[in-house]
Amino acid sequence: MASADKLINTDVPEKDVFAFHFLQSLSNLRKQNPFDTPDQKNYRVRKIKKAAYVSMARAAGGSSRLWSRALLRRADKDDNKIVRFSRRKRKVTWKISSKRRRSNQRAPVVEEAAERLRNLVPGGGGMETSKLMEETAHYIKCLSMQVKVMQCLVDGLSPK
Amino acid sequence: MNGAIGGDLLLNCTDMSVLERQRAHLKYFNPSFDSPLAGFFADSSMINGGEMDGFLATAGLNLPMIYGETTVEVDPRMSIPLETTLGTGNFKKRKFDTVTKDCNEKKKMMNREEVTEGEEEEKSKITELNNGSPKSIKKMKIKAKKEENNCSNDSSKVTKELEKTDYIHVRARRGQATDSHSIAERVRREKISERMKFLQDLVPGCDKITGKAGMLDEIINYVQSLQRQIEFLSMKLAVVNPRPDFDMDDIFAKEVVSTPMTVVPSPEMVHSGYSHEMVNSGYSNEMVNSGYVHFNPMQQVETSSDPLSCFNNGQAPSMWDSHVQNLYGSLGV
């Protein structure tokens, strides 16, 4: 199905790429906290979740996708690196609102669903709806790949 | 009535779409209906630009060259008589307030009847007269091409190609607002519906749902559920505690059976002592390392491992959701 649609390129790498990146990030975590058992479970959970997302973004093609770029920037920002991202976002949303002023035929159903989608997909705030849907498609593929990898990992590591 | 129409046409091009619609309406019901302009429009279908240029000049519009260009594209379709096609198109147009339905139906119409291709071309030709802006006319060309190609039942593929390669020419459709903004809107909406179809293939269980709203809700739910799955899995990974007498061969067997992963060279492979027997030794090291990451003091494991153990007894991933709910409840998150 995806191969038949040549205009929208939503190829994701194979599962092993995702697995490799994720495992790499986990081993980095280990290096940072060797045999460390933080008191709060939540801290570890959050770290692992963040590692999962970041490794997914890297595996899915680093800077070649808007959502992965936004995700990585967000991650960097959380690590106290200053990121100038807001400027672009403002510029694009200006474009959207100006179009809305001119023709009030933007199917409101689509647009409100697009708003919800924008909150879910990283970097969605600065995208036009059609671009948003492309990114969503790729994002969905990557998410499902990442879920498979993590599932296998859990299965493998869990006590028998 | 004919004279009035003709006069009106020459005097006021913006009303033409309405008048044409009326005329075509009559023609649809009465194919033998004859008007002085019927010949004109029938000829316009065969035109190579000359007559239309004259008309356009009198109408005060200046579109000879572009029009000439576009006729080349639509030549093969032009033999289809006007009256059979215009009526249907007009009826379609009258009903629509939302253009989204319009596009979808148009596409359906196109695929169903070959006749409608000609209709689109005719419509586009005539409405071109209403267009003063070069941008919209350019955009109109791609619509012409698009509809031409729709008949080959390869619609989505080819039209997408065209949109990608040549965005400049699009035709305004007959009976619709020929504002350049509305044309842009229409193009945009078609793009969106294309992508919606693509997403529909991607999201499982979306075949039965028709309509953009339901589809989009499904997509949103799916993305949310995937994100939640990742969160639960990361909770699980944080909690899972591999036993100290960790058997690597076992883990590998399980891993290899459940997922056919290929070997990925890892830097740790070189330094480890494990590499010899294992096929996926890169993973083995990573697995061990990650096992250490998840090490938990025993008391923490006890409380959370009970729901996990039932999960870990080799149950299929399809049962995962129910167990995750158990886990979720037990963790009290």
Short mmCIF file of all heavy atoms in Angstrom, two decimals, chain B residues 207-237:
data_model
loop_
_atom_site.label_atom_id
_atom_site.label_comp_id
_atom_site.label_asym_id
_atom_site.label_seq_id
_atom_site.Cartn_x
_atom_site.Cartn_y
_atom_site.Cartn_z
N ASP B 207 -11.42 0.51 7.85
CA ASP B 207 -12.05 0.28 6.55
C ASP B 207 -13.54 0.55 6.62
O ASP B 207 -14.13 1.03 5.68
CB ASP B 207 -11.83 -1.17 6.12
CG ASP B 207 -10.40 -1.58 6.32
OD1 ASP B 207 -9.54 -0.69 6.24
OD2 ASP B 207 -10.16 -2.77 6.55
N LYS B 208 -14.11 0.23 7.79
CA LYS B 208 -15.56 0.35 7.85
C LYS B 208 -16.01 1.78 8.06
O LYS B 208 -17.14 2.13 7.75
CB LYS B 208 -16.11 -0.49 9.03
CG LYS B 208 -15.93 -1.97 8.82
CD LYS B 208 -14.99 -2.54 9.83
CE LYS B 208 -14.59 -3.96 9.46
NZ LYS B 208 -13.50 -4.44 10.29
N ILE B 209 -15.13 2.57 8.56
CA ILE B 209 -15.54 3.94 8.88
C ILE B 209 -15.44 4.82 7.66
O ILE B 209 -14.40 4.91 7.03
CB ILE B 209 -14.65 4.50 10.00
CG1 ILE B 209 -14.77 3.61 11.23
CG2 ILE B 209 -15.04 5.91 10.33
CD1 ILE B 209 -13.84 3.99 12.32
N THR B 210 -16.52 5.46 7.34
CA THR B 210 -16.48 6.43 6.26
C THR B 210 -16.75 7.80 6.84
O THR B 210 -17.41 7.95 7.84
CB THR B 210 -17.57 6.11 5.21
OG1 THR B 210 -18.80 5.93 5.89
CG2 THR B 210 -17.22 4.87 4.45
N GLY B 211 -16.24 8.76 6.19
CA GLY B 211 -16.45 10.11 6.70
C GLY B 211 -15.21 10.59 7.42
O GLY B 211 -14.57 9.85 8.14
N LYS B 212 -14.92 11.83 7.19
CA LYS B 212 -13.66 12.35 7.69
C LYS B 212 -13.62 12.43 9.20
O LYS B 212 -12.62 12.12 9.82
CB LYS B 212 -13.44 13.75 7.12
CG LYS B 212 -13.00 13.71 5.70
CD LYS B 212 -12.48 15.06 5.29
CE LYS B 212 -12.11 15.02 3.82
NZ LYS B 212 -11.63 16.30 3.36
N ALA B 213 -14.74 12.80 9.80
CA ALA B 213 -14.73 13.01 11.25
C ALA B 213 -14.41 11.72 11.99
O ALA B 213 -13.53 11.69 12.85
CB ALA B 213 -16.07 13.57 11.70
N GLY B 214 -15.14 10.67 11.62
CA GLY B 214 -14.92 9.39 12.28
C GLY B 214 -13.51 8.89 12.06
O GLY B 214 -12.85 8.39 12.99
N MET B 215 -13.06 9.03 10.82
CA MET B 215 -11.71 8.60 10.48
C MET B 215 -10.68 9.31 11.33
O MET B 215 -9.76 8.70 11.88
CB MET B 215 -11.43 8.92 9.02
CG MET B 215 -11.64 7.79 8.11
SD MET B 215 -10.49 6.50 8.46
CE MET B 215 -8.98 7.41 8.28
N LEU B 216 -10.83 10.62 11.42
CA LEU B 216 -9.86 11.40 12.17
C LEU B 216 -9.90 11.03 13.65
O LEU B 216 -8.85 10.95 14.29
CB LEU B 216 -10.12 12.88 11.98
CG LEU B 216 -9.65 13.40 10.63
CD1 LEU B 216 -10.26 14.74 10.34
CD2 LEU B 216 -8.14 13.51 10.60
N ASP B 217 -11.09 10.78 14.15
CA ASP B 217 -11.17 10.35 15.55
C ASP B 217 -10.45 9.04 15.75
O ASP B 217 -9.72 8.87 16.73
CB ASP B 217 -12.64 10.18 15.95
CG ASP B 217 -13.32 11.52 16.16
OD1 ASP B 217 -12.59 12.51 16.37
OD2 ASP B 217 -14.56 11.57 16.13
N GLU B 218 -10.65 8.13 14.80
CA GLU B 218 -9.95 6.85 14.89
C GLU B 218 -8.45 7.04 14.89
O GLU B 218 -7.73 6.41 15.66
CB GLU B 218 -10.33 5.98 13.67
CG GLU B 218 -11.47 5.06 13.90
CD GLU B 218 -11.28 4.18 15.10
OE1 GLU B 218 -10.23 3.51 15.21
OE2 GLU B 218 -12.16 4.17 15.95
N ILE B 219 -8.00 7.89 13.99
CA ILE B 219 -6.56 8.13 13.90
C ILE B 219 -6.03 8.69 15.20
O ILE B 219 -4.98 8.26 15.71
CB ILE B 219 -6.25 9.09 12.74
CG1 ILE B 219 -6.56 8.41 11.41
CG2 ILE B 219 -4.81 9.53 12.77
CD1 ILE B 219 -6.55 9.35 10.25
N ILE B 220 -6.76 9.66 15.75
CA ILE B 220 -6.31 10.26 17.00
C ILE B 220 -6.28 9.23 18.11
O ILE B 220 -5.33 9.17 18.89
CB ILE B 220 -7.23 11.45 17.35
CG1 ILE B 220 -6.97 12.60 16.39
CG2 ILE B 220 -7.03 11.88 18.77
CD1 ILE B 220 -7.93 13.72 16.49
N ASN B 221 -7.33 8.40 18.16
CA ASN B 221 -7.34 7.36 19.19
C ASN B 221 -6.18 6.40 19.02
O ASN B 221 -5.58 5.95 20.00
CB ASN B 221 -8.66 6.58 19.13
CG ASN B 221 -9.80 7.39 19.68
OD1 ASN B 221 -9.58 8.31 20.45
ND2 ASN B 221 -11.00 7.06 19.26
N TYR B 222 -5.88 6.09 17.78
CA TYR B 222 -4.80 5.14 17.53
C TYR B 222 -3.47 5.71 17.98
O TYR B 222 -2.67 5.02 18.62
CB TYR B 222 -4.77 4.79 16.05
CG TYR B 222 -3.84 3.67 15.70
CD1 TYR B 222 -4.01 2.41 16.25
CD2 TYR B 222 -2.79 3.86 14.83
CE1 TYR B 222 -3.15 1.38 15.93
CE2 TYR B 222 -1.94 2.83 14.50
CZ TYR B 222 -2.13 1.60 15.05
OH TYR B 222 -1.28 0.58 14.74
N VAL B 223 -3.23 6.98 17.64
CA VAL B 223 -1.97 7.60 18.06
C VAL B 223 -1.88 7.63 19.57
O VAL B 223 -0.84 7.33 20.17
CB VAL B 223 -1.84 9.02 17.47
CG1 VAL B 223 -0.67 9.76 18.06
CG2 VAL B 223 -1.68 8.95 15.97
N GLN B 224 -3.00 7.99 20.20
CA GLN B 224 -3.00 8.03 21.67
C GLN B 224 -2.73 6.66 22.26
O GLN B 224 -1.98 6.53 23.23
CB GLN B 224 -4.35 8.54 22.17
CG GLN B 224 -4.42 10.04 22.22
CD GLN B 224 -5.81 10.52 22.57
OE1 GLN B 224 -6.78 9.77 22.45
NE2 GLN B 224 -5.91 11.76 22.98
N SER B 225 -3.33 5.65 21.66
CA SER B 225 -3.13 4.31 22.21
C SER B 225 -1.69 3.86 22.01
O SER B 225 -1.12 3.20 22.88
CB SER B 225 -4.10 3.32 21.58
OG SER B 225 -3.67 2.95 20.30
N LEU B 226 -1.09 4.21 20.89
CA LEU B 226 0.31 3.85 20.69
C LEU B 226 1.19 4.55 21.71
O LEU B 226 2.11 3.94 22.27
CB LEU B 226 0.75 4.22 19.27
CG LEU B 226 0.33 3.30 18.15
CD1 LEU B 226 0.77 3.88 16.83
CD2 LEU B 226 0.92 1.92 18.32
N GLN B 227 0.91 5.81 21.96
CA GLN B 227 1.72 6.53 22.93
C GLN B 227 1.55 5.93 24.32
O GLN B 227 2.51 5.82 25.09
CB GLN B 227 1.36 8.01 22.93
CG GLN B 227 1.90 8.72 21.70
CD GLN B 227 1.53 10.18 21.67
OE1 GLN B 227 0.54 10.58 22.26
NE2 GLN B 227 2.32 10.96 20.97
N ARG B 228 0.35 5.56 24.64
CA ARG B 228 0.10 4.94 25.95
C ARG B 228 0.82 3.61 26.05
O ARG B 228 1.36 3.26 27.10
CB ARG B 228 -1.40 4.75 26.17
CG ARG B 228 -2.04 5.87 26.97
CD ARG B 228 -3.49 5.59 27.21
NE ARG B 228 -4.31 6.13 26.14
CZ ARG B 228 -5.30 5.48 25.56
NH1 ARG B 228 -5.61 4.27 25.94
NH2 ARG B 228 -5.99 6.04 24.60
N GLN B 229 0.82 2.86 24.95
CA GLN B 229 1.52 1.58 24.94
C GLN B 229 2.99 1.77 25.24
O GLN B 229 3.59 1.00 26.01
CB GLN B 229 1.37 0.92 23.57
CG GLN B 229 0.22 -0.03 23.46
CD GLN B 229 0.19 -0.71 22.11
OE1 GLN B 229 0.51 -0.09 21.11
NE2 GLN B 229 -0.19 -1.95 22.10
N ILE B 230 3.57 2.80 24.62
CA ILE B 230 4.99 3.06 24.87
C ILE B 230 5.20 3.38 26.33
O ILE B 230 6.17 2.93 26.96
CB ILE B 230 5.49 4.19 23.95
CG1 ILE B 230 5.62 3.69 22.53
CG2 ILE B 230 6.81 4.72 24.46
CD1 ILE B 230 6.31 4.63 21.61
N GLU B 231 4.30 4.15 26.86
CA GLU B 231 4.45 4.52 28.27
C GLU B 231 4.36 3.29 29.17
O GLU B 231 5.18 3.10 30.08
CB GLU B 231 3.35 5.51 28.63
CG GLU B 231 3.66 6.30 29.88
CD GLU B 231 2.68 7.45 30.06
OE1 GLU B 231 2.17 7.94 29.04
OE2 GLU B 231 2.45 7.81 31.22
N PHE B 232 3.41 2.43 28.92
CA PHE B 232 3.27 1.23 29.73
C PHE B 232 4.47 0.32 29.59
O PHE B 232 4.94 -0.27 30.55
CB PHE B 232 2.01 0.47 29.35
CG PHE B 232 0.75 1.17 29.71
CD1 PHE B 232 -0.43 0.87 29.08
CD2 PHE B 232 0.75 2.14 30.71
CE1 PHE B 232 -1.60 1.52 29.42
CE2 PHE B 232 -0.43 2.79 31.05
CZ PHE B 232 -1.60 2.48 30.39
N LEU B 233 4.94 0.21 28.35
CA LEU B 233 6.10 -0.64 28.13
C LEU B 233 7.32 -0.09 28.83
O LEU B 233 8.13 -0.85 29.36
CB LEU B 233 6.37 -0.79 26.64
CG LEU B 233 5.45 -1.78 25.92
CD1 LEU B 233 5.67 -1.70 24.44
CD2 LEU B 233 5.72 -3.18 26.42
N SER B 234 7.45 1.22 28.85
CA SER B 234 8.61 1.76 29.54
C SER B 234 8.47 1.57 31.05
O SER B 234 9.46 1.33 31.74
CB SER B 234 8.82 3.22 29.19
OG SER B 234 7.73 3.99 29.60
N MET B 235 7.25 1.61 31.54
CA MET B 235 7.04 1.30 32.97
C MET B 235 7.46 -0.13 33.24
O MET B 235 8.11 -0.43 34.24
CB MET B 235 5.56 1.46 33.30
CG MET B 235 5.21 2.81 33.85
SD MET B 235 3.63 2.78 34.64
CE MET B 235 2.57 3.08 33.25
N LYS B 236 7.05 -1.01 32.31
CA LYS B 236 7.41 -2.41 32.47
C LYS B 236 8.90 -2.60 32.45
O LYS B 236 9.45 -3.37 33.24
CB LYS B 236 6.80 -3.22 31.33
CG LYS B 236 5.43 -3.66 31.56
CD LYS B 236 5.28 -5.08 31.06
CE LYS B 236 3.87 -5.53 31.33
NZ LYS B 236 3.08 -5.57 30.12
N LEU B 237 9.54 -1.92 31.52
CA LEU B 237 10.98 -2.08 31.45
C LEU B 237 11.64 -1.56 32.70
O LEU B 237 12.67 -2.10 33.13
CB LEU B 237 11.51 -1.32 30.23
CG LEU B 237 11.30 -2.00 28.88
CD1 LEU B 237 11.81 -1.11 27.78
CD2 LEU B 237 12.03 -3.32 28.85
#
